[in-house]
Amino acid sequence: MNKKTILITGASTGIGKTTAQYFAEQGWNVAATMRTPEKATGFEAFTGIKLYQLDVTDEQSIARAIDSVIKDFGKIDVLVNNAGYGAVGVFEKATKEQIQKQFDTNVFGVMNVTRHILPHFRANGAGTLINVSSMGGRLTFPLYSVYHATKWALEGWAESLQFEVRQFGIRIKNIEPGAIKTDFMGRSMDVFSKPDLIAYDTYEAIATKNTEESYKSAPDSAVVAKTIFKAANDSSYQLRYPASGQASLFLFLRRLLPLGIFNGLVRLAVEKGFKN
């Protein structure tokens, strides 16, 4: 039986790295892509993983990486659009450049890689496109307005795209994690800053503290890797896969409750201690 091959973007750390390692442990060929593979660590023990340079904002690097993976492994069965960028904070403090970078990576980057892989999937008459989205693509929290905008865009794009590509046996899968213990709240996060704008300071400090508390009890990235593996092996056309107990609960409540009541629950949790 031929091994299946998966290409993962943003595989140097966090969810992407854990997913690459998990698929290799399950016997897959893994093309782990990242902007600087020469700096990557933690892959040496995995014989099924090969590293490739790919920047989702650089179309030449995308084409080069996909061609190299097909040359090395024969074909690509699954693409995981995982590369992401998190810019959060008070929207009024955001710069045009930060907003642009958020969309360039989380939306346009995903679209770039997908446009390059679709001809290969069509030629094969099969392929699975997996997007690492977020429960934040279907509900919202304070201080994440720009991040939510990218994930809501991703969800709508994928929901529409599935109609077009189904005729070719191509499946679209969106993975929707909740809070996950990765470096997202640390090294990977870009916080909007405008020192002379102090009107939001009290609210921002309280909302940030309460949000960070929720990450302390969050599961690690293995729960997402296992959900991605489930989606990759699912021959149905199911679109959405909540990737944690928290995500399942929050998404259920968002469907069940009127928006005003749901948002009231969000305020109770995230704005706890804020006097308005």
Side-chain angles (χ1 to χ4, degrees):
M1 181 177 177
N2 292 330
K3 284 185 176 183
K4 288 188 174 182
T5 299
I6 185 169
L7 186 157
I8 305 169
T9 67
S12 61
T13 61
I15 291 170
K17 182 176 183 178
T18 302
T19 300
Q21 294 170 338
Y22 187 78
F23 272 79
E25 290 170 348
Q26 310 310 311
W28 284 55
N29 296 321
V30 178
T33 76
M34 57 205 72
R35 286 178 297 177
T36 53
E38 64 276 8
K39 296 181 180 179
T41 60
F43 296 101
E44 298 79 10
F46 297 90
T47 56
I49 299 177
K50 188 167 183 179
L51 307 186
Y52 298 84
Q53 194 279 328
L54 188 155
D55 180 342
V56 299
T57 66
D58 179 349
E59 299 217 30
Q60 287 187 340
S61 80
I62 295 168
R64 189 166 53 243
I66 289 175
D67 288 347
S68 295
V69 175
I70 293 171
K71 180 180 179 182
D72 291 342
F73 295 114
K75 70 171 182 172
I76 299 168
D77 299 283
V78 178
L79 165 66
V80 178
N81 283 314
N82 168 73
Y85 165 67
V88 302
V90 171
F91 176 73
E92 194 176 338
K93 296 182 179 182
T95 65
K96 178 182 177 181
E97 290 74 22
Q98 287 171 314
I99 296 169
Q100 185 68 53
K101 184 177 179 180
Q102 184 93 110
F103 275 85
D104 282 344
T105 304
N106 293 6
V107 180
F108 305 135
V110 170
M111 292 180 176
N112 289 341
V113 181
T114 301
R115 279 189 293 104
H116 281 276
I117 200 72
L118 284 178
H120 179 66
F121 282 173
R122 282 194 295 102
N124 293 337
T128 300
L129 171 64
I130 300 178
N131 304 305
V132 178
S133 180
S134 168
M135 69 177 183
R138 293 199 283 152
L139 51 85
T140 64
F141 297 98
L143 306 183
Y144 283 72
S145 61
V146 180
Y147 178 79
H148 283 305
T150 63
K151 294 302 184 180
W152 281 61
L154 182 64
E155 289 282 344
W157 167 76
E159 188 172 307
S160 177
L161 180 62
Q162 66 176 343
F163 293 110
E164 302 172 21
V165 300
R166 182 169 178 154
Q167 62 184 306
F168 306 112
I170 300 170
R171 292 165 172 81
I172 309 291
K173 313 281 188 180
N174 280 1
I175 309 300
E176 299 170 337
I180 300 294
K181 276 184 183 173
T182 67
D183 62 355
F184 182 79
M185 291 296 290
R187 182 184 65 83
S188 295
M189 183 172 286
D190 186 4
V191 179
F192 304 141
S193 177
K194 195 172 184 180
D196 59 338
L197 176 56
I198 63 173
Y200 296 94
D201 283 3
T202 300
Y203 181 88
E204 186 175 20
I206 290 173
T208 298
K209 178 179 179 295
N210 290 331
T211 300
E212 289 176 348
E213 283 294 320
S214 72
Y215 277 81
K216 291 182 179 179
S217 58
D220 63 26
S221 53
V223 69
V224 185
K226 291 176 181 178
T227 305
I228 293 172
F229 187 77
K230 175 185 176 182
N233 287 283
D234 186 352
S235 60
S236 78
Y237 285 89
Q238 178 179 334
L239 174 63
R240 295 185 167 99
Y241 297 74
S244 69
Q246 182 201 52
S248 296
L249 174 61
F250 273 66
L251 289 168
F252 171 74
L253 291 174
R254 179 63 185 86
R255 290 194 304 271
L256 179 69
L257 300 174
L259 180 59
I261 294 176
F262 180 82
N263 283 348
L265 295 176
V266 171
R267 287 194 298 272
L268 282 174
V270 183
E271 298 178 359
K272 183 173 61 179
F274 178 69
K275 306 296 183 183
N276 188 6

